[in-house]
C-alpha cells in the first residue's frame, strides 16, 4: 500500500514537471518568433545628395559658386540642407549653428 502511494505521488510529480518544462519551452519558442523583448533595429541613416541639395538651395544666389561651396561643406557636416533657397534654418539646427571664426553664419 505504501509502495503504491509513493509510486502514484512520484508519477504525479514527474507529470507536473514535464508539463512545466513543455510549457516553458513553448513560451520561449513563441517569444523568439515574435521578437517580444528584442530590441528594435535602428533605422539606417538617410543619405543625402549634397550636390543636388546645394544646387537647389543656391539656384537664386548672386554668387552661386560661393554658395554651393559653403553649402556643400555644411551639408557634409550636418547631413541636411534646409528647404527653400534661403532661411528655414530651423529645419536643420546643425546647419544654423555652424559659424565662421568671426561668428557669422557659415551656411547659406
Amino acid at each position: 500500500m505504501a509502495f503504491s502511494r509513493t509510486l502514484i505521488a512520484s508519477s504525479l510529480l514527474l507529470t507536473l514537471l514535464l508539463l512545466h518544462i513543455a510549457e516553458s519551452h513553448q513560451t520561449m519558442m513563441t517569444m523568439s518568433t515574435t521578437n517580444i523583448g528584442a530590441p528594435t533595429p535602428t533605422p539606417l541613416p538617410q543619405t543625402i545628395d549634397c550636390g543636388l541639395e546645394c544646387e537647389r538651395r543656391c539656384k537664386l544666389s548672386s554668387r552661386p559658386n560661393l554658395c554651393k561651396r559653403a553649402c556643400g561643406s555644411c551639408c557634409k557636416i550636418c547631413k541636411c540642407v534646409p528647404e527653400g533657397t534661403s532661411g528655414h534654418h530651423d529645419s536643420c539646427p546643425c546647419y544654423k549653428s555652424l559659424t565662421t571664426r568671426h561668428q557669422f553664419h557659415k551656411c547659406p
Side-chain angles (χ1 to χ4, degrees):
M1 184 81 158
F3 178 71
S4 64
R5 283 186 181 175
T6 307
L7 183 62
I8 292 172
S10 59
S11 296
L12 182 62
L13 285 174
L14 184 61
T15 304
L16 289 173
L17 180 65
L18 289 174
L19 283 173
H20 179 70
I21 291 172
E23 186 178 284
S24 65
H25 179 70
Q26 183 179 8
T27 304
M28 292 293 285
M29 294 302 291
T30 303
M31 287 179 66
S32 68
T33 57
T34 59
N35 291 332
I36 295 174
T40 56
T42 55
L44 295 174
Q46 292 181 351
T47 57
I48 183 171
D49 183 357
C50 289
L52 189 64
E53 289 297 315
C54 290
E55 183 77 31
R56 174 195 53 79
R57 178 86 172 159
C58 297
K59 69 182 175 186
L60 299 179
S61 175
S62 61
R63 300 179 68 189
N65 291 338
L66 179 65
C67 179
K68 288 177 198 171
R69 188 173 65 227
C71 177
S73 63
C74 293
C75 179
K76 286 179 187 173
I77 295 169
C78 297
K79 307 284 191 262
C80 64
V81 175
E83 69 240 10
T85 55
S86 66
H88 304 287
H89 289 245
D90 294 333
S91 64
C92 184
C94 170
Y95 201 85
K96 182 180 182 179
S97 68
L98 294 178
T99 57
T100 64
R101 60 183 167 185
H102 300 295
Q103 303 306 310
F104 294 113
H105 287 289
K106 177 177 183 171
C107 307

